[in-house]
Amino acid sequence: MTATAVRGIGVPVKRKEDPRFIRGKGTYVDDVKLPGMLYMDIVRSPYAHARIKRIDVSKARAMPGVIDVITGEELAKANLAWMPTLMGDRQMVLPTERVVYYAQEVAAVIATDRYIAADAVLAVEVEYEPLPPVLDPFEALKPDAPLVRPDRDQKTNHIWHWEAGDKEKTDRIFQEAEVVVAQDLYIPRIHVASIETCGCVANYDPATDKLTIWMTSQAPHAHRTVFSLVTGIPEHKIRVISPDIGGGFGGKVPVYPGYVIATYATLKHKKPIKWIEDRSENLQADSFARDYHIHAELAANRDGKIRALRVKVLADHGAFDAAANPSRFPAGLFSVCTGSYDMEAAHVEVDGVYTTKPPGGVAYRCSFRVTEAVHTIERMVDILADELGMDPAEIRFKNFIQPHQFPYKSPTGWEYDSGNYPAALQKALDMIGYRELRREQAERRARGELMGIGISTFTEIVGAGPSHTFDILGIKMFDSAEIRVHPTGAVIVRIGVQTQGQGHETTFAQIVAEELGIPVEYITVEHGDTDTAPYGLGTYASRSTPTAGAATAVAARKIREKARLIAAHLLEVSPDDLEWKDYAFRVKGAPDRYKTMQEIAFAAYTNFPLGLEPGLEAECYYDPPNLTFPFGAYVCVVDIDRGTGQVKIREFLAVDDCGTIINPMIVEGQIHGGLTMGMAPALFEEIVYDENGTMLTDTFMDYLLPTAVETPHWKTAKTVTPSPHHPLGAKGVGESPTIGAPPAIVNAVVDALSHLGVRHIDIPITPAKLYRILQEKGVAE
Amino acid sequence: MIPGPFRYRRVSSVEEAVSLLAQLGSDAKVLSGGQSLIPMMKFRLAEPNYVIDINRVPGLDFLEERDGLLRIGALVRESTIERSPLIRERYPILHDTALVIADPLVRNLATVGGNLAHGDPANDHPATMLALRAQVVAKGPKGERVIPIDEFFVDTFVTTLEPDELLTEIRIPVSPPRSGGAYLKFERKVGDYAIAAAAAFLALDESGLIVQAGIGLTNLAYKPLRATAAEQVLIGQPPSDELFREAAELAAQATDPVSDLRGPADYKRAVARTMVFRALRRALERAQANG
Amino acid sequence: MERVPITVTVNGRTYTAEVEPRLLLVHFIRDVLNLTGTHIGCDTTSCGACTVIWNGRPVKSCTVFAVQADGTEILTVEGLERDGQLHPVQEGFWEEHGLQCGYCTPGMMMTAVALLAENPDPTEEEIRAAISGNLCRCTGYVNIVKAIQYAARKMRESATAGVGGA
């Protein structure tokens, strides 16, 4: 058995999931069709804040084909008008008194076909008494602000206060520091907008007394547990199936009211209920990301050595705290904001605030607020460089945590596992020709042309997470794998994570192929069905490889250890006389006496040593000892059109380090996609509300996803610094580019204008925004 | 996402279409490409009781030069304009325009006639037609009439077409020698409407002076705009960057854009200036190449 | 409620049905014909997930009424594979990792099929322009371009080898 035959770690194996997708034979939730299926559509509020005076469903009910109209009043009788959120708050499923965001779910119609359901939604009459919206989190904290959540005991729009780091030490350093730079940054609300919207088919079958829910879910087990807690139905009677998911990126982690109402409806009517939201509904009401108002300061020596970071954040959480963070981290992993830099101290404070907007916070490939954290530090480092007249690459080299300092304890308490930041940045600078670019910039500047070079060197933090620190609703964030080897040497693997395009059916098979020496084409990976997959916390925050990938490797190694005993039996030697080499157990000193896993598998069922349990399978629930810390160095080159304010990305090089790479083709694809989702918020995307709290950007006409024309041809490269604690040395990569790209782009644009005194621009850097700056600086055409 | 109910009538001649329109009036909407109408119907912003599908009417998809005119049938698809060698070589301003309408898939169905008849100041062809001094041919129960483009656009989504008239043809004077045009659109991304777009058409005499000038503006006022003051400042003058800047400034001043998500009004005016200036330079390049 | 009889040929097979005039072509394909490979991703004709080839041209089937398709021919993703042989575009997407979640892929591939029928050797710029009506959130488009270039190469090779293209 050879590496070429096995095609395990490091091989760009063609994806095993593709055959069905390229034939249009994927099964996405809207493809699920069951006999007697009914359709659900939702009536939504046109007001951001209003009292509900009256709901008249009579016209809708009277329409032919309309089966039911469900309101909050009915749900309240079943104790379902409210549900718990993943953050320990509660959220309305359907309102009984008030609505608290534009497009909030107000009622649901059930009909025999989706066209009738759409008509019926328009026939439901709701009388509202508009109330003043609460749209600005700073205003929301004022004593006279309208209360978004009168249902809470504490009559305030302030949700929580969270701190990390050493305030006293940090303040002392700031007091004595030679240089202090400060900046306000606003990272606006954005929406992940995967091409498939959210939805479910909920089917209660009275014959089996079982509730099955096909759902756009990134975490089917966690959702099953939540459904059980919310409905009172025991977990063994609930089956959640994530079939094929058309993109998740965090948007398919929250439990949306639509899922709960559909579940209620199927329990009531004992018929399958399909609910698929429109794009408009998806943008209007589903979980957002970002919306952080940041005030950041860096204290440093005059020679550019950073000493401390101080950050205060006001986090706009919408009307319910329904972000999907680990429970002890209401601000996610934002405190990783000291970034790739060694410093003496840091202090971070975040305050969450209610506003009359939809709930959420971490649904856009952000790794639990690491996008916000890295944006902050990477901008501040450039601002410090600008203050001191230093080159942005030079200041980074000066401040990097050095390779010998790993494992590195950060001032906010994270232990970075491994990294080599100087190598990554040097590689990026060399590959892109940094010195030549600076020369070119000087020439162009002399001609009045605006060209910029931006750098971002980020540290990511993924793989949530160790049980001593991480849980969601109390459930620890381990993950799992179950592996069974069949007699003829084929394998089935079931994992607790849930792909939405990341290629798990291929990459996890490669892990097992490598560990067991079985060719990857004989290995099937399943996940997403809670009836069969082992319990896991799902896929988001780039956690699958660090957690379930580790679980898979460990489970495979357990199998290998049992296989050793069988091999020893077959070869009539002691287990200690064998070594696992070149994908077989070989007798030490006599390597042509060996047994492959195929031979051992057959023996596991036909010729196993007496006293050893037959079969060949194992499972692992992996509690990671730490998070993992991917990192990267990105360089972006931009040209600015002085006549329109348009930013053109001329070139973008991403050097990423995610430790051991399982499938380089898949990793590269993740990076291309992540860079595009980093560029989008930097230049194009923003959720905008008017003064009434009505969302203005609720279609793709105004919520601007980049096409292939706006997107540059991304250039990628890598360094490899394995994680010392991960069984494969692998770290995870999906969100690194979404994290590293925006500051690289902003840094480039600011760099293009720095000679004019520009120091910071908030994203998105739209042409209109940039043109205004060009005008102010007298360089607009 | 789901349109309201309606009755569907497919017609196989212009006469049939006109007769139905005369009968139904504002109860009916004409369906050609459908790429503006159907999206509006899906949001129930348009809820006609009748939709009259004219896509199978023969003889409305001609594209030819005849008797001193470029004649474009109302059902000519934008993708046809995009691919036509005739347009590319002799009317590149139209090629420019078609290329930036929506996206390539929409262009396979969207029609030039529809792009004008919709009366949307955000559509791209109106500005180009204004710059080219086109004419629109409409057929109604009382017969055919030829409408100069300057009279065609009345208000936002309102043209001079009567409810019982069908737009059947667009006529453009064949380009004289030493003439050229260009259409430049600045949009936030492919598929968007313009932040500002400008159509510029120039014709030069033998000594190189400008004898004809047409400047049309997209999405910069309540209806498609012709920048007449800007045009006038060009006539009889030798072309130069300075002159074009002056014209661009006048054109920008003639606009009255709304502030919206695409930007504040003064920004759009500034971009209009940039687009007009650049379109004039490109038109000049083409005019000089045709000399 | 008016119902209109229509006859539509999809992937070489002819279907008749009676449909509401307002039934969108994409819903006809997905819900009436049960060909669920064509997907819906937006409500403003923006994303292209619903792209099919209609009388030889790629169009967004969410912005066409099924009644308009009476008497016409439609090719959907399910019609690309012939006699167990993948279309070079399908092969290209698989070889070059041109898909991740797969949701935009059918629409993207139909646009690619139409592009290559018209332009057998497109430049990268031409490819990007051709797919600018198809949104992808996963891939960042780089490998989609490569997939289409792969297919173009394969189709040019079999054309010069004298074998009819798919």
Side-chain angles (χ1 to χ4, degrees):
Chain A
M1 192 54 63
T2 62
T4 322
V6 164
R7 295 194 301 139
I9 303 280
V11 180
V13 174
K14 252 166 54 173
R15 291 199 336 167
K16 291 156 134 297
E17 42 267 86
D18 286 0
R20 64 183 185 275
F21 294 133
I22 58 177
R23 291 174 169 85
K25 295 289 185 199
T27 303
Y28 301 90
V29 171
D30 197 15
D31 301 339
V32 173
K33 289 175 188 172
L34 299 175
M37 191 167 73
L38 301 173
Y39 293 82
M40 184 174 110
D41 203 348
I42 295 181
V43 179
R44 294 179 180 275
S45 167
Y47 295 105
H49 197 196
R51 202 165 288 132
I52 298 175
K53 295 176 72 177
R54 193 179 57 93
I55 303 182
D56 185 347
V57 306
S58 53
K59 287 205 186 75
R61 269 192 190 280
M63 292 170 70
V66 174
I67 306 295
D68 196 1
V69 185
I70 299 169
T71 64
E73 202 184 310
E74 180 178 346
L75 287 189
K77 294 195 187 103
N79 219 21
L80 274 177
W82 291 80
M83 62 175 169
T85 71
L86 295 172
M87 294 309 297
D89 192 357
R90 57 180 206 146
Q91 171 178 2
M92 285 186 242
V93 177
L94 285 176
T96 49
E97 289 162 21
R98 292 159 65 246
V99 289
V100 284
Y101 53 92
Y102 172 77
Q104 181 179 347
E105 300 80 358
V106 171
V109 305
I110 312 287
T112 52
D113 95 31
R114 67 174 99 221
Y115 280 51
I116 295 172
D119 292 341
V121 162
L122 295 170
V124 173
E125 292 170 343
V126 187
E127 209 184 308
Y128 298 94
E129 184 195 310
L131 297 169
V134 181
L135 302 172
D136 180 327
F138 295 94
E139 293 297 313
L141 288 178
K142 295 205 172 131
D144 57 340
L147 216 50
V148 179
R149 297 288 304 281
D151 62 287
R152 287 176 91 233
D153 293 331
Q154 284 174 293
K155 306 297 179 196
T156 165
N157 290 325
H158 182 251
I159 317 176
W160 41 256
H161 175 83
W162 186 82
E163 284 185 40
D166 187 333
K167 179 168 167 62
E168 211 191 289
K169 187 171 179 193
T170 303
D171 285 347
R172 220 184 324 119
I173 292 174
F174 268 87
Q175 258 154 26
E176 67 190 36
E178 290 169 8
V179 181
V180 170
V181 287
Q183 181 65 50
D184 286 323
L185 304 96
Y186 175 50
I187 302 181
R189 193 173 269 238
I190 52 177
H191 194 287
V192 71
S194 48
I195 306 298
E196 180 203 32
T197 61
C198 298
C200 66
V201 176
N203 184 31
Y204 172 70
D205 181 357
T208 55
D209 191 31
K210 186 124 178 214
L211 171 65
T212 304
I213 310 173
W214 284 263
M215 201 174 138
T216 48
S217 165
Q218 295 178 233
H221 295 92
H223 285 149
R224 184 190 68 193
T225 305
V226 168
F227 275 98
S228 178
L229 295 172
V230 166
T231 61
I233 298 173
E235 246 182 303
H236 70 296
K237 291 290 189 182
I238 302 178
R239 180 183 182 194
V240 174
I241 301 175
S242 295
D244 293 316
I245 310 285
F249 315 112
K252 291 171 177 167
V253 175
V255 176
Y256 296 119
Y259 304 141
V260 179
I261 305 167
T263 300
Y264 173 81
T266 190
L267 290 166
K268 177 177 177 185
H269 292 281
K270 302 177 181 23
K271 288 242 167 82
I273 308 279
K274 172 178 276 190
W275 169 64
I276 307 289
E277 55 175 15
D278 287 350
R279 175 60 58 191
S280 304
E281 298 177 283
N282 170 263
L283 291 171
Q284 287 159 355
D286 288 356
S287 184
F288 71 93
R290 316 290 191 273
D291 221 345
Y292 259 27
H293 301 261
I294 302 165
H295 179 78
E297 302 168 282
L298 270 184
N301 293 335
R302 201 150 289 292
D303 69 355
K305 182 86 188 80
I306 296 169
R307 297 192 60 199
L309 170 74
R310 194 159 56 188
V311 186
K312 254 183 89 69
V313 179
L314 209 58
D316 184 334
H317 269 257
F320 309 109
D321 189 0
N325 283 312
S327 69
R328 278 182 233 187
F329 297 92
L333 305 180
F334 182 74
S335 62
V336 80
C337 53
T338 56
S340 308
Y341 313 105
D342 187 23
M343 59 184 83
E344 299 163 53
H347 184 241
V348 178
E349 286 180 69
V350 183
D351 286 279
V353 183
Y354 287 126
T355 58
T356 52
K357 296 177 200 162
V362 291
Y364 195 124
R365 209 161 177 166
C366 67
S367 208
F368 296 136
R369 301 283 187 189
V370 182
T371 37
E372 291 87 320
V374 168
H375 201 85
T376 302
I377 186 64
E378 287 305 294
R379 284 269 58 242
M380 293 313 293
V381 168
D382 258 36
I383 287 169
L384 179 63
D386 184 58
E387 177 76 13
L388 298 174
M390 278 178 84
D391 176 281
E394 188 196 342
I395 200 170
R396 284 171 167 82
F397 281 118
K398 191 179 185 68
N399 284 287
F400 278 149
I401 301 161
Q402 294 300 319
H404 70 264
Q405 289 179 275
F406 289 87
Y408 172 81
K409 197 74 189 270
S410 88
T412 53
W414 300 111
E415 188 182 277
Y416 294 13
D417 60 358
S418 66
N420 191 340
Y421 307 138
L425 180 56
Q426 195 58 56
K427 182 165 190 170
L429 297 176
D430 291 342
M431 284 182 72
I432 207 164
Y434 185 67
R435 267 194 274 272
E436 291 70 36
L437 285 170
R438 283 291 176 207
R439 271 200 290 274
E440 184 195 342
Q441 182 185 43
E443 285 162 21
R444 285 187 185 269
R445 205 167 258 186
R447 293 200 295 269
E449 291 168 27
L450 301 172
M451 167 192 166
I453 308 154
I455 296 171
S456 143
T457 48
F458 64 92
T459 295
E460 236 277 63
I461 171 174
V462 302
S467 57
H468 52 69
T469 313
F470 291 89
D471 69 89
I472 291 190
L473 276 188
I475 305 171
K476 300 296 183 180
M477 296 183 73
F478 54 87
D479 227 284
S480 59
E482 230 176 57
I483 306 174
R484 177 174 303 137
V485 185
H486 305 316
T488 51
V491 183
I492 183 154
V493 183
R494 294 191 171 115
I495 50 182
V497 288
Q498 175 58 47
T499 198
Q500 319 108 39
Q502 295 91 330
H504 292 173
E505 290 170 41
T506 308
T507 55
F508 282 80
Q510 289 179 251
I511 295 174
V512 176
E514 186 69 40
E515 294 291 335
L516 297 186
I518 291 177
V520 75
E521 56 264 30
Y522 292 121
I523 302 172
T524 287
V525 174
E526 285 183 1
H527 54 339
D529 184 336
T530 59
D531 265 6
T532 51
Y535 203 101
L537 271 287
T539 293
Y540 42 83
S542 307
R543 67 184 296 275
S544 302
T545 298
T547 59
T552 304
V554 171
R557 290 170 193 179
K558 288 185 191 176
I559 286 177
R560 217 162 66 209
E561 282 323 294
K562 179 170 179 179
R564 176 192 291 272
L565 303 176
I566 298 172
H569 167 75
L570 293 173
L571 290 165
E572 296 173 323
V573 297
S574 148
D576 299 323
D577 290 335
L578 291 174
E579 55 181 2
W580 175 259
K581 195 164 182 289
D582 297 332
Y583 305 110
F585 277 110
R586 299 175 192 274
V587 176
K588 288 178 187 167
D592 2 293
R593 289 193 64 217
Y594 65 88
K595 289 292 168 194
T596 63
M597 195 58 71
Q598 270 90 347
E599 295 168 299
I600 294 165
F602 197 70
Y605 294 84
T606 63
N607 183 7
F608 43 90
L610 198 62
L612 187 70
E613 232 179 284
L616 194 57
E617 66 186 67
E619 73 186 18
C620 172
Y621 286 79
Y622 186 79
D623 183 1
N626 191 5
L627 301 162
T628 62
F629 295 79
F631 60 96
Y634 293 175
V635 185
C636 176
V637 183
V638 301
D639 298 290
I640 296 173
D641 183 332
R642 286 167 46 213
T644 60
Q646 188 181 43
V647 172
K648 283 240 155 84
I649 298 179
R650 192 207 297 179
E651 202 177 346
F652 195 109
L653 171 66
V655 174
D656 277 279
D657 193 317
C658 59
T660 304
I661 293 175
I662 298 165
N663 183 322
M665 177 189 80
I666 287 181
V667 165
E668 192 192 54
Q670 287 289 299
I671 294 170
H672 294 155
L675 291 173
T676 310
M677 289 181 96
M679 175 184 77
L683 299 177
F684 296 94
E685 292 179 20
E686 186 182 1
I687 291 181
V688 179
Y689 293 94
D690 71 10
E691 67 279 4
N692 298 314
T694 303
M695 188 186 286
L696 299 178
T697 51
D698 58 2
T699 73
F700 282 165
M701 285 306 295
D702 286 304
Y703 192 74
L704 307 173
L705 270 59
T707 72
V709 168
E710 291 81 43
T711 308
H713 187 118
W714 306 111
K715 300 216 176 95
T716 62
K718 65 175 189 289
T719 59
V720 180
T721 312
S723 167
H725 67 77
H726 187 280
L728 300 168
K731 289 189 176 183
V733 75
E735 288 157 317
S736 288
T738 324
I739 284 160
I745 296 168
V746 177
N747 287 348
V749 176
V750 171
D751 181 71
L753 305 169
S754 62
H755 62 298
L756 304 165
V758 173
R759 195 170 255 202
H760 177 70
I761 308 173
D762 275 336
I763 56 174
I765 304 182
T766 60
K769 188 186 281 189
L770 193 54
Y771 190 82
R772 167 132 303 148
I773 295 171
L774 298 178
Q775 271 181 320
E776 280 165 19
K777 298 300 178 187
V779 292
E781 227 168 58
Chain B
M1 176 76 198
I2 310 290
F6 59 86
R7 296 179 130 79
Y8 173 76
R9 298 286 178 268
R10 187 190 306 142
V11 295
S12 43
S13 70
V14 173
E15 291 68 37
E16 211 187 324
V18 166
S19 145
L20 262 183
L21 283 171
Q23 225 183 297
L24 301 168
S26 56
D27 250 9
K29 279 249 167 229
V30 170
L31 172 66
S32 59
Q35 304 300 285
S36 294
L37 177 63
I38 298 180
M40 285 178 75
M41 290 177 70
K42 283 161 74 173
F43 278 95
R44 308 214 184 190
L45 296 170
E47 292 189 87
N49 290 320
Y50 288 84
V51 167
I52 301 172
D53 181 355
I54 62 167
N55 284 283
R56 312 271 177 114
V57 173
L60 284 181
D61 58 355
F62 50 88
L63 180 63
E64 58 184 2
E65 278 177 318
R66 191 157 52 85
D67 307 327
L69 294 167
L70 171 69
R71 309 170 77 117
I72 308 175
L75 281 181
V76 170
R77 311 282 168 183
E78 301 296 353
S79 52
T80 305
I81 300 281
E82 201 183 322
R83 285 158 175 73
S84 155
L86 165 67
I87 299 292
R88 209 178 188 137
E89 280 152 31
R90 295 177 51 68
Y91 302 87
I93 187 178
L94 279 173
H95 175 82
D96 290 349
T97 310
L99 261 189
V100 293
I101 292 174
D103 64 56
L105 301 172
V106 169
R107 293 201 287 277
N108 279 328
L109 290 178
T111 64
V112 184
N115 199 267
L116 295 177
H118 197 48
D120 189 348
N123 278 347
D124 296 288
H125 275 303
T128 300
M129 298 306 174
L130 286 168
L132 294 176
R133 306 289 191 271
Q135 296 170 316
V136 167
V137 180
K139 284 210 170 98
K142 300 184 212 109
E144 185 179 282
R145 63 184 180 117
V146 179
I147 310 165
I149 196 74
D150 283 340
E151 293 167 28
F152 186 70
F153 301 107
V154 171
D155 204 339
T156 315
F157 295 117
V158 181
T159 68
T160 51
L161 286 177
E162 297 292 334
D164 57 4
E165 280 183 313
L166 192 69
L167 191 164
T168 56
E169 184 183 341
I170 300 117
R171 294 176 181 167
I172 293 159
V174 158
S175 307
R178 289 179 305 275
S179 72
Y183 184 76
L184 282 183
K185 174 178 181 179
F186 183 56
E187 52 186 356
R188 296 176 297 176
K189 58 169 269 196
V190 168
D192 198 11
Y193 292 110
I195 293 174
F201 180 77
L202 295 174
L204 312 171
D205 69 12
E206 288 111 354
S207 58
L209 297 178
I210 299 168
V211 291
Q212 244 184 272
I215 300 176
L217 300 166
T218 299
N219 214 11
L220 291 161
Y222 69 99
K223 65 173 192 169
L225 212 60
R226 217 182 102 201
T228 42
E231 289 172 349
Q232 270 151 29
V233 92
L234 296 169
I235 303 293
Q237 299 300 320
S240 71
D241 273 2
E242 206 191 307
L243 179 70
F244 289 166
R245 271 190 232 285
E246 198 190 330
E249 180 56 44
L250 285 169
Q253 280 166 22
T255 64
D256 184 25
V258 290
S259 295
D260 62 14
L261 291 170
R262 291 188 183 84
D266 61 338
Y267 169 65
K268 292 187 181 184
R269 244 184 235 113
V271 179
R273 200 174 56 230
T274 301
M275 291 296 112
V276 170
F277 175 73
R278 293 178 185 176
L280 282 169
R281 289 181 100 209
R282 187 86 186 94
L284 179 68
E285 260 171 46
R286 285 175 170 159
Q288 287 169 339
N290 282 336
Chain C
M1 188 210 342
E2 185 179 84
R3 297 217 135 215
V4 176
I6 59 173
T7 303
V8 192
T9 303
V10 183
N11 303 329
R13 214 177 120 178
T14 303
Y15 301 85
T16 43
E18 289 213 340
V19 300
E20 275 189 87
R22 65 174 173 162
L23 182 69
L24 299 173
L25 181 60
V26 67
H27 284 137
F28 176 70
I29 292 168
R30 288 181 53 79
D31 294 341
V32 176
L33 302 186
N34 285 312
L35 296 168
T36 57
T38 304
H39 299 142
I40 296 172
C42 78
D43 43 21
T44 48
T45 319
S46 306
C47 78
C50 63
T51 305
V52 299
I53 294 180
W54 186 25
N55 279 354
R57 289 176 310 201
V59 300
K60 297 185 181 185
S61 63
C62 69
T63 311
V64 177
F65 294 120
V67 289
Q68 292 176 255
D70 180 33
T72 67
E73 290 192 12
I74 294 174
L75 184 67
T76 70
V77 60
E78 291 91 342
L80 289 181
E81 190 179 7
R82 305 277 174 83
D83 302 319
Q85 270 258 20
L86 288 175
H87 189 288
V89 166
Q90 290 173 298
E91 216 181 286
F93 272 74
W94 194 5
E95 287 291 330
E96 298 291 343
H97 189 36
L99 64 143
Q100 291 181 25
C101 81
Y103 198 76
C104 78
T105 308
M108 197 67 81
M109 291 194 304
M110 301 319 287
T111 298
V113 168
L115 166 68
L116 295 179
E118 189 188 348
N119 183 350
D121 193 6
T123 63
E124 173 160 359
E125 206 184 317
E126 286 170 332
I127 292 173
R128 285 175 178 269
I131 62 172
S132 60
N134 295 86
L135 295 177
C136 175
R137 232 11 186 167
C138 294
T139 67
Y141 304 107
V142 176
N143 287 346
I144 290 177
V145 169
K146 287 198 187 141
I148 296 172
Q149 288 169 329
Y150 174 102
R153 246 180 350 254
K154 186 117 201 271
M155 289 168 76
R156 286 197 307 273
E157 277 159 21
S158 34
T160 55
V163 178

